[in-house]
Amino acid sequence: MTEKFKAPRGTFDVLPEQQSVRRRIAEVARRRLEAAGYGRMDTPIFEDTNLFARGVGESTDIVQKQMFTFEDQGGRSLTLRPEATASVCRAYLEHGMQQLAQPVKLWTDGPFFRHERPQAGRYRQFTQINAEGIGSDSPLVDAEMILLAHDTLAELRVPDVRLRLGSLGTPATRAAYLDELRDYLRSHERDLSEEVVARIDVNPLRAFDADHEGTRRVMDGAPTLLERLDQADAEHFDAVRRLLDRNEVEYHLDPTLVRGLDYYTRTVFEFECERLGAQSGIGGGGRYDGLIEQLGGPPTPGCGWALGVDRVALALQKNGGDGVKARIGVFVVAEEGERDRALNVVTELRRADIPADLDLAGRAIKGQMKQADRVGARHALILSADAKATLRDMGSGEEREIDPATLVETLSSR
Ligand code: AMP
């Protein structure tokens, strides 16, 4: 028996009927970003493995477990990009964008790859739209970015969106805080769940998410990172919050918000759609003031986000579909002997930018009319052997004879 092929685990095909919602998401984001001065750029789908090891962070799940890494014929280690920020920052340095007026505002979109455990909303190849603002540490950048993501999701009418906002401070503040939190947890070990105790060293922040009664009581009194921010970071965060308030963006302060990438400093945020269940994160980002330096550049602040197109599409579908159907303007129905003429007519219409289609499967007239209905054609144009043409309004059923020579003119005016 011959083998039957399937799309690789964790990947999927995007079928024609699923295109319009994705196109709309990309289109709304593109329009909003470009209207705000963000320039599109594309980076390669694969990069030097070290870029991500250094950029995303050696200790992250992404680098430790999730990268699709391969060796090319020349023995170089390459990796399918798991995220965009490291690549965009590499490009910023490679093209000397420090010389441009700062901040440099860039956006991109395309496929990304992570070897994750596949489930609804979590794939090994997924699509993101990314925005980055590099070269300014002003809280205005953080606020502008959050506003752009917020307004994009609002225009798309993604239902039940929640924005979680936090600040991580500097890496030094964070490290000191985590030590303090570990000490606090150890001093309350008796009241914590076994699971939390087992993770005190690796991930003490997890304790904040626990359902365990005793753990929750302990965590009510635990110190939070937001309380430990130094003065400059606290002021920066206050400014971001003030700007969001002034622009009527609702957010929930989340002192335990951590993101899966090492490079974040100061502001972090995540957009969630509760309707999506376990994989509710539809976008997220934050500030990465140390990243460019880590990649060998001069100290350069930056801020960015990624929206998950697949999940936004899922959220919109759960909301009752995207409401956009590809429409054929005219379906040309041909009597036997008129089929060649049908292609002429369709070509003429298409060249005049009128979406047109014809039967390519030898259907009888009745079958062709059915097909016209199936493709959602607004009109059927019936070509009969006497060189006549009848235009039928598929909605009302109204028919009238028309002169084929004036076809384009007649249809353009509708
Ligand atoms: P991240 O780069 O991890 O901050 O992710 C940003 C957004 O990309 C998330 O909020 C998700 O919407 C989306 N995303 C990340 N990983 C995946 C995945 N494996 N499958 C589908 N979407 C993803």
Side-chain angles (χ1 to χ4, degrees), residues 354-394:
I354 298 171
D357 205 356
L358 75 166
D359 172 48
L360 299 171
R363 291 182 183 85
I365 295 284
K366 210 167 141 199
Q368 294 185 48
M369 290 304 294
K370 228 188 225 167
Q371 185 63 9
D373 202 37
R374 221 179 272 138
V375 301
R378 215 164 302 165
H379 296 98
L381 181 75
I382 304 144
L383 304 179
S384 40
D386 51 14
K388 283 195 187 135
T390 307
L391 191 66
R392 179 187 171 89
D393 184 312
M394 295 298 286

Side-chain angles (χ1 to χ4, degrees), residues 65-138:
K65 304 183 211 157
Q66 299 176 347
M67 298 207 299
F68 284 94
T69 297
F70 60 98
E71 227 177 62
D72 73 3
Q73 281 77 347
R76 282 167 291 256
S77 181
L78 298 172
T79 293
L80 296 183
R81 59 185 189 181
E83 58 107 50
T85 305
S87 302
V88 172
C89 289
R90 178 209 33 81
Y92 174 92
L93 288 172
E94 187 170 336
H95 300 283
M97 295 189 206
Q98 313 93 293
Q99 316 305 330
L100 306 175
Q102 306 291 302
V104 176
K105 305 204 280 191
L106 301 164
W107 76 278
T108 188
D109 69 356
F112 294 85
F113 306 85
R114 292 181 198 170
H115 196 277
E116 303 207 68
R117 207 148 49 94
Q119 53 183 284
R122 181 186 286 195
Y123 313 106
R124 291 182 176 172
Q125 175 176 335
F126 54 96
T127 305
Q128 284 186 344
I129 299 167
N130 296 268
E132 315 286 347
I134 306 175
S136 162
D137 65 2
S138 166

Side-chain angles (χ1 to χ4, degrees), residues 152-168:
T152 297
L153 295 170
E155 180 176 342
L156 288 166
R157 301 225 185 87
V158 181
D160 303 333
V161 176
R162 229 171 94 101
L163 169 60
R164 290 159 67 206
L165 182 72
S167 175
L168 300 177

Side-chain angles (χ1 to χ4, degrees), residues 71-387:
E71 227 177 62
D72 73 3
Q73 281 77 347
R76 282 167 291 256
S77 181
L78 298 172
T79 293
L80 296 183
R81 59 185 189 181
E83 58 107 50
T85 305
S87 302
V88 172
C89 289
R90 178 209 33 81
Y92 174 92
L93 288 172
E94 187 170 336
H95 300 283
M97 295 189 206
Q98 313 93 293
Q99 316 305 330
L100 306 175
Q102 306 291 302
V104 176
K105 305 204 280 191
L106 301 164
W107 76 278
T108 188
D109 69 356
F112 294 85
F113 306 85
R114 292 181 198 170
H115 196 277
E116 303 207 68
R117 207 148 49 94
Q119 53 183 284
R122 181 186 286 195
Y123 313 106
R124 291 182 176 172
Q125 175 176 335
F126 54 96
T127 305
Q128 284 186 344
I129 299 167
N130 296 268
E132 315 286 347
I134 306 175
S136 162
D137 65 2
S138 166
L140 289 165
V141 177
D142 311 47
E144 174 182 276
M145 299 224 88
I146 294 173
L147 274 159
L148 282 167
H150 172 272
D151 287 5
T152 297
L153 295 170
E155 180 176 342
L156 288 166
R157 301 225 185 87
V158 181
D160 303 333
V161 176
R162 229 171 94 101
L163 169 60
R164 290 159 67 206
L165 182 72
S167 175
L168 300 177
T170 57
T173 311
R174 205 175 342 160
Y177 165 73
L178 289 178
D179 282 342
E180 181 188 353
L181 181 61
R182 286 191 188 98
D183 288 345
Y184 176 83
L185 291 172
R186 281 197 197 97
S187 70
H188 292 82
E189 220 166 276
R190 274 178 319 158
D191 300 319
L192 302 173
S193 74
E194 270 176 47
E195 210 189 327
V196 167
V197 173
R199 296 185 68 93
I200 290 181
D201 283 326
V202 203
N203 190 354
L205 286 167
R206 270 289 163 82
F208 283 103
D209 302 330
D211 287 328
H212 178 259
E213 199 33 64
T215 306
R216 292 181 72 131
R217 242 180 331 210
V218 172
M219 296 323 284
D220 282 343
T224 69
L225 180 49
L226 290 180
E227 297 159 352
R228 295 294 181 268
L229 296 182
D230 67 30
Q231 199 187 335
D233 290 347
E235 279 170 13
H236 191 276
F237 191 49
D238 284 345
V240 173
R241 293 178 56 188
R242 227 173 17 246
L243 290 163
L244 293 179
D245 292 339
R246 278 182 73 141
N247 287 279
E248 289 161 21
V249 172
E250 238 181 81
Y251 57 83
H252 299 265
L253 262 199
D254 186 345
T256 68
L257 184 61
V258 273
R259 308 203 75 254
L261 301 96
D262 266 1
Y263 51 58
Y264 287 111
T265 52
R266 293 190 160 175
T267 316
V268 284
F269 52 91
E270 218 158 79
F271 289 91
E272 291 175 340
C273 170
E274 279 155 31
R275 277 191 210 195
L276 289 180
Q279 303 304 315
S280 62
I282 51 175
R287 187 164 267 292
Y288 46 82
D289 291 346
L291 176 57
I292 298 244
E293 211 175 345
Q294 217 159 297
L295 297 179
T300 311
C303 185
W305 53 245
L307 286 186
V309 173
D310 313 285
R311 290 192 194 164
V312 172
L314 276 177
L316 291 175
Q317 277 150 6
K318 277 196 195 274
N319 204 28
D322 55 52
V324 191
K325 198 175 169 205
R327 279 195 90 92
I328 286 293
V330 184
F331 193 90
V332 177
V333 172
E335 282 185 1
E336 217 46 61
E338 299 301 310
R339 292 185 186 273
D340 291 358
R341 180 154 75 102
L343 184 60
N344 281 117
V345 171
V346 162
T347 303
E348 189 189 352
L349 292 169
R350 288 176 180 166
R351 285 181 179 162
D353 270 342
I354 298 171
D357 205 356
L358 75 166
D359 172 48
L360 299 171
R363 291 182 183 85
I365 295 284
K366 210 167 141 199
Q368 294 185 48
M369 290 304 294
K370 228 188 225 167
Q371 185 63 9
D373 202 37
R374 221 179 272 138
V375 301
R378 215 164 302 165
H379 296 98
L381 181 75
I382 304 144
L383 304 179
S384 40
D386 51 14

